[in-house]
Amino acid sequence: MRLLEDENYFEIEEKLLNEGYRFICGVDEAGRGPLAGPVFAAAVVMDRKKIIEGVRDSKKLTPKKREKLFDEIIKESIAYSVAMVDSKIIDEININNATFLAMKNAIENLKIEPDIVLVDGYEIPNLSFNQMAIIKGDRKSYSIACASILAKVSRDRYIVEISSKYPVYKFEKHKGYGTKEHIEILQKYGPCEIHRISFLKNILSL
């Protein structure tokens, strides 16, 4: 099934509901690309009767809008879960495996068992639930878009909170991404304990 961006975000879910699936879980990640901090994943089962207006891929929303939708998604969801994998594990098992691990943990921590999981991107290895991988799923699936908002806001809040422990790096501004300012700070002070060392080889002499 191929959907154009901004088509009916519930079309995939509607088809699955008509096929007899009841608890449809969307899962997405936030933080694959940053030089520092954990990768987050969220899993969410939404209520078909309580569609939230304005849900879109989290990258297309302003921080203020994401925050508002975050609270609405939690309120209207049947179940949700957020998980993270820290930078040390990312360095040990690589970002792809760490992302899959965060997604898997989020799904397995749901208070209900999903009938099917809609995954943004590629199938999660060794997942015990039926799954459907959807490339650019956060632009095509309501459930995945909701998960993308939960993951993004959760990670941003975490980074802002932890930034006070490492004030020199200004994580609250760039959220760990490789901005010009962040790279200049890294070159001056070197990495801290939440940096992903495996991501810094082309930036620093490590």
Side-chain angles (χ1 to χ4, degrees):
M1 178 187 299
R2 296 182 62 190
L3 296 178
L4 296 175
E5 185 177 340
D6 292 332
E7 272 191 77
N8 176 10
Y9 261 48
F10 211 84
E11 188 170 335
I12 294 174
E13 284 86 343
E14 200 71 60
K15 183 176 184 294
L16 291 170
L17 286 168
N18 289 336
E19 291 175 0
Y21 293 96
R22 183 182 177 192
F23 296 127
I24 301 169
C25 170
V27 62
D28 199 6
E29 55 75 26
R32 280 179 59 89
L35 306 179
V39 61
F40 272 66
V44 63
V45 178
M46 298 303 296
D47 189 337
R48 174 66 181 95
K49 298 176 182 177
K50 298 178 180 178
I51 300 300
I52 300 168
E53 185 177 350
V55 166
R56 287 289 181 272
D57 168 13
S58 65
K59 294 183 289 295
K60 292 191 162 191
L61 299 168
T62 64
K64 184 176 180 180
K65 184 64 174 176
R66 283 197 297 264
E67 288 281 348
K68 181 176 182 296
L69 288 170
F70 178 94
D71 293 336
E72 292 184 39
I73 290 166
I74 288 177
K75 179 182 176 182
E76 302 298 350
S77 67
I78 295 172
Y80 78 94
S81 173
V82 178
M84 71 174 185
V85 173
D86 69 27
S87 54
K88 289 182 174 58
I89 301 297
I90 292 171
D91 284 335
E92 289 175 10
I93 66 176
N94 77 47
I95 188 59
N96 287 333
N97 289 329
T99 301
F100 286 137
L101 178 59
M103 287 180 163
K104 188 175 181 181
N105 288 344
I107 296 163
E108 292 178 347
N109 287 334
L110 287 168
K111 67 180 182 181
I112 62 171
E113 187 171 304
D115 297 318
I116 189 169
V117 176
L118 305 183
V119 185
D120 182 41
Y122 300 91
E123 286 194 356
I124 302 169
N126 304 314
L127 187 69
S128 58
F129 302 105
N130 189 17
Q131 63 179 309
M132 176 189 296
I134 305 170
I135 302 298
K136 295 184 179 179
D138 49 8
R139 303 181 186 181
K140 302 172 184 177
S141 160
Y142 175 77
S143 301
I144 294 177
C146 286
S148 78
I149 293 168
L150 294 187
K152 173 63 174 169
V153 173
S154 296
R155 186 181 191 279
D156 284 354
R157 288 179 178 179
Y158 175 89
I159 292 296
V160 169
E161 182 178 348
I162 202 173
S163 66
S164 62
K165 187 178 179 182
Y166 311 96
V168 71
Y169 294 96
K170 301 181 181 180
F171 290 125
E172 72 280 0
K173 291 180 63 177
H174 50 69
K175 308 300 188 296
Y177 284 88
T179 63
K180 182 175 182 290
E181 181 181 35
H182 188 190
I183 290 172
E184 288 174 351
I185 292 170
L186 267 168
Q187 290 171 338
K188 183 176 181 179
Y189 295 102
C192 71
E193 63 183 352
I194 70 165
H195 277 100
R196 304 172 182 179
I197 302 304
S198 57
F199 280 48
L200 303 180
K201 293 177 181 177
N202 294 329
I203 299 172
L204 305 175
S205 299
L206 299 174

